[in-house]
């Protein structure tokens, strides 16, 4: 009998609920009879020797997860999927190992979800990490918060969509597209205006007419000016790949919940930026990702996170909200995870002001990931 029994470990005092006691009993053949009860674990050093070592390790693992706020509906521990020391760097975990663990989970497929929840991860790619080519400060913490949120809400998230910024070295927003009178390319973060082009300060090395038209259209929209970015997310490079630990988590979810990932490649057109996931900043052909817009209608909640908050996240939101501006039922179902995204330095204030405008105009929700109940 385990009535009023005390196990003493050197960790904080935590009360185990009946469901955990039952779990421990199931794992140990040595415990033939037991009465479900609350068990107190307090400070100390002695361990009851009536439990097998395997069971003791299980207790420690489950209690540690509970104390840290990690839900345990999965057999696989968070740390078996994500290595936080490797965020933004080489992934020490092999995808095949991750997916074998996912396949072993006994969790309901997403098709059975009564409430449909879509998580949209925008440009969580290596080049936007803190050591990437277009580094976003605090992006490593964003990955930690995002992966923990996905793990803790694993059985509530129906589908995951991700965007992949994908470029070539020679595009209108990269230095090689432009030269000054002496043949020098602009430095990254240079702003090129219509006036600069007309007065010969900067000249495009090709497509002069189209380049001027693009800059004019940007300025007519009154939101963005042409910014020259460092080479980033070049197709086929490691910088364009999904950040490794985020990739581990979403692919684990895909297999465990039998839910294919929606992957959106954007930004390949040479004559336009494409911050948002719906359409380019300006495009003569008026391309719109209508398929994804239609997809959104099928979800009760739409959760948004990503990098950078000030650009690709903000423009993705803007494009979705403007498309559905007359459908407050849909726009009010959008939840922006404030602690799972960060801005490029210098653009923070504009990002915050714009998000507040979205709240007032479209009734979107700005929340922290650890405060959102799905």
């Amino acid at each position: 009998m385990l009535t009023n029994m005390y196990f003493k470990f050197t960790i904080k005092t935590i009360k185990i609920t009946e469901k955990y006691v039952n779990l421990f009993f199931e794992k140990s053949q040595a415990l033939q009879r037991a009465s479900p009860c609350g068990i107190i674990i307090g400070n100390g050093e002695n361990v009851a020797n009536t439990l097998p070592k395997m069971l003791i390790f299980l207790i420690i693992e489950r209690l540690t997860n509970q104390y840290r706020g990690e839900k345990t509906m999965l057999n696989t521990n968070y740390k078996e999927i994500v290595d936080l020391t490797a965020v933004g760097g080489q992934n020490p975990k092999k995808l095949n190992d991750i997916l074998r663990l996912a396949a072993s989970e006994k969790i309901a497929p997403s098709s059975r979800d009564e409430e449909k929840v879509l998580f949209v991860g925008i440009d969580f790619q290596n080049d936007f990490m803190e050591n990437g080519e277009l580094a976003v400060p605090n992006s490593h913490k964003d990955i930690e918060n995002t992966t923990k949120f996905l793990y803790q809400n694993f059985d509530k998230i129906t589908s995951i969509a991700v965007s992949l910024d994908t470029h070539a070295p020679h595009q209108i927003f990269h230095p090689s597209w432009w030269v000054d009178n002496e043949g020098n390319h602009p430095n990254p973060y240079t702003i090129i205006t219509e006036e600069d082009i007309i007065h010969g300060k900067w000249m495009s090395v090709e497509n002069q007419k189209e380049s001027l038209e693009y800059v004019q259209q940007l300025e007519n929209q009154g939101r963005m000016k042409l910014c020259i970015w460092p080479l980033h997310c070049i197709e086929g490079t490691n910088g364009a790949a999904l950040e490794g630990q985020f990739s581990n988590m979403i692919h684990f979810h895909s297999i465990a919940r039998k839910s294919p990932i929606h992957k959106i490649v954007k930004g390949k057109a040479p004559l336009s930026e494409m911050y948002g996931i719906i359409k380019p900043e300006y495009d003569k052909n008026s391309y719109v990702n209508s398929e994804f817009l239609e997809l959104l209608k099928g979800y009760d909640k739409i959760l948004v996170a990503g990098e950078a908050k000030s650009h690709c996240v903000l423009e993705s939101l803007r494009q979705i909200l403007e498309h559905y501006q007359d459908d407050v039922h849909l726009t009010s179902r959008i939840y922006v995870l404030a602690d799972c995204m960060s801005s490029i330095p210098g653009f923070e204030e504009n990002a915050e002001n714009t998000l507040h405008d979205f709240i007032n105009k479209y009734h979107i929700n700005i929340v922290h990931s650890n405060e959102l109940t799905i």
Side-chain angles (χ1 to χ4, degrees):
M1 296 276 290
L2 287 178
T3 306
N4 298 324
M5 184 173 181
Y6 289 81
F7 300 107
K8 297 179 179 179
F9 296 102
T10 310
I11 59 175
K12 277 191 141 185
T13 298
I14 306 173
K15 185 174 182 179
I16 309 177
T17 60
E18 182 178 347
K19 67 177 180 179
Y20 287 114
V21 177
N22 290 335
L23 175 62
F24 303 152
F25 294 166
E26 291 171 6
K27 294 293 185 181
S28 174
Q29 294 180 352
L31 296 174
Q32 300 295 327
R33 296 172 60 246
S35 60
C37 59
I39 300 175
I40 304 297
I41 294 187
N43 293 333
E45 295 180 354
N46 297 324
V47 178
N49 54 18
T50 56
L51 285 177
K53 287 183 178 180
M54 174 200 72
L55 189 54
I56 294 171
F57 291 145
L58 176 62
I59 294 172
I60 294 173
E61 177 185 26
R62 296 289 169 137
L63 288 173
T64 301
N65 287 345
Q66 185 184 24
Y67 179 64
R68 290 174 179 170
E70 296 176 4
K71 296 183 181 179
T72 53
M73 87 286 289
L74 296 172
N75 293 322
T76 307
N77 187 277
Y78 172 82
K79 290 183 177 179
E80 294 179 88
I81 307 169
V82 173
D83 182 348
L84 291 176
T85 66
V87 173
Q90 184 174 358
N91 192 353
K93 297 183 181 292
K94 295 185 179 298
L95 186 59
N96 280 293
D97 294 338
I98 295 289
L99 299 189
R100 273 193 291 270
L101 289 171
S104 70
E105 293 289 345
K106 306 299 181 185
I107 188 169
S110 62
S111 59
R112 296 183 188 173
D113 290 354
E114 292 184 5
E115 182 180 57
K116 303 295 185 182
V117 178
L118 172 67
F119 174 84
V120 183
I122 297 170
D123 294 5
F124 275 130
Q125 295 163 268
N126 287 322
D127 268 348
F128 297 121
M129 295 298 105
E130 292 171 18
N131 53 352
E133 297 294 340
L134 184 42
V136 179
N138 204 52
S139 53
H140 288 190
K141 185 64 176 177
D142 296 335
I143 291 291
E144 177 181 348
N145 292 342
T146 301
T147 53
K148 285 184 175 179
F149 174 80
L150 292 173
Y151 183 82
Q152 291 163 4
N153 295 278
F154 200 88
D155 60 334
K156 302 293 193 300
I157 295 172
T158 308
S159 306
I160 293 176
V162 297
S163 65
L164 292 156
D165 211 30
T166 306
H167 302 312
H170 194 59
Q171 289 185 265
I172 196 168
F173 46 82
H174 282 155
S176 63
W177 194 270
W178 302 92
V179 291
D180 62 14
N181 289 326
E182 297 179 354
N184 300 310
H185 297 296
N187 293 322
Y189 306 106
T190 297
I191 301 297
I192 294 180
T193 67
E194 176 186 4
E195 184 178 354
D196 291 336
I197 300 171
I198 291 174
H199 289 91
K201 182 178 179 180
W202 296 109
M203 298 170 286
S204 57
V205 298
E206 59 182 271
N207 299 106
Q208 285 83 10
K209 180 181 177 182
E210 292 83 357
S211 299
L212 175 60
E213 179 184 358
Y214 177 71
V215 173
Q216 289 172 331
Q217 290 296 326
L218 285 185
E219 296 185 12
N220 289 341
Q221 293 172 12
R223 292 199 299 263
M224 295 281 190
K225 292 186 177 180
L226 176 62
C227 182
I228 302 303
W229 299 109
L231 293 176
H232 65 283
C233 296
I234 302 302
E235 188 172 16
T237 68
N238 181 64
L242 288 170
E243 193 286 319
Q245 306 315 302
F246 174 73
S247 175
N248 290 350
M249 183 60 73
I250 66 170
H251 286 97
F252 184 93
H253 179 276
S254 177
I255 295 300
R257 300 225 60 207
K258 299 178 176 58
S259 177
I261 301 169
H262 304 279
K263 295 180 179 177
I264 303 166
V265 176
K266 66 182 182 69
K268 297 179 73 171
L271 272 163
S272 178
E273 298 153 291
M274 190 171 175
Y275 295 120
I277 60 176
I278 302 302
K279 60 184 179 180
E281 293 305 294
Y282 171 69
D283 174 34
K284 283 185 175 181
N285 298 320
S286 301
Y287 168 78
V288 174
N289 189 345
S290 300
E291 181 181 356
F292 187 72
L293 287 170
E294 190 66 23
L295 180 77
L296 298 177
K297 293 181 180 179
Y299 291 92
D300 302 297
K301 286 189 175 74
I302 301 161
L303 318 176
V304 180
E307 307 297 355
K309 174 182 179 179
S310 53
H311 287 75
C312 295
V313 174
L314 201 66
E315 287 305 309
S316 295
L317 284 168
R318 187 196 306 278
Q319 291 171 0
I320 292 169
L321 294 171
E322 288 181 350
H323 181 81
Y324 285 111
Q325 59 184 319
D326 297 323
D327 187 355
V328 70
H329 180 65
L330 187 146
T331 60
S332 63
R333 301 202 302 264
I334 295 175
Y335 293 78
V336 179
L337 304 182
D339 58 332
C340 298
M341 60 182 68
S342 298
S343 290
I344 293 174
F347 296 90
E348 299 93 339
E349 184 178 356
N350 178 68
E352 293 302 321
N353 291 339
T354 303
L355 283 176
H356 283 295
D357 289 343
F358 290 168
I359 293 173
N360 295 329
K361 188 173 182 179
Y362 302 109
H363 305 286
I364 68 168
N365 308 275
I366 310 294
V367 296
H368 280 75
S369 61
N370 59 359
E371 297 173 352
L372 177 61
T373 302
I374 302 178

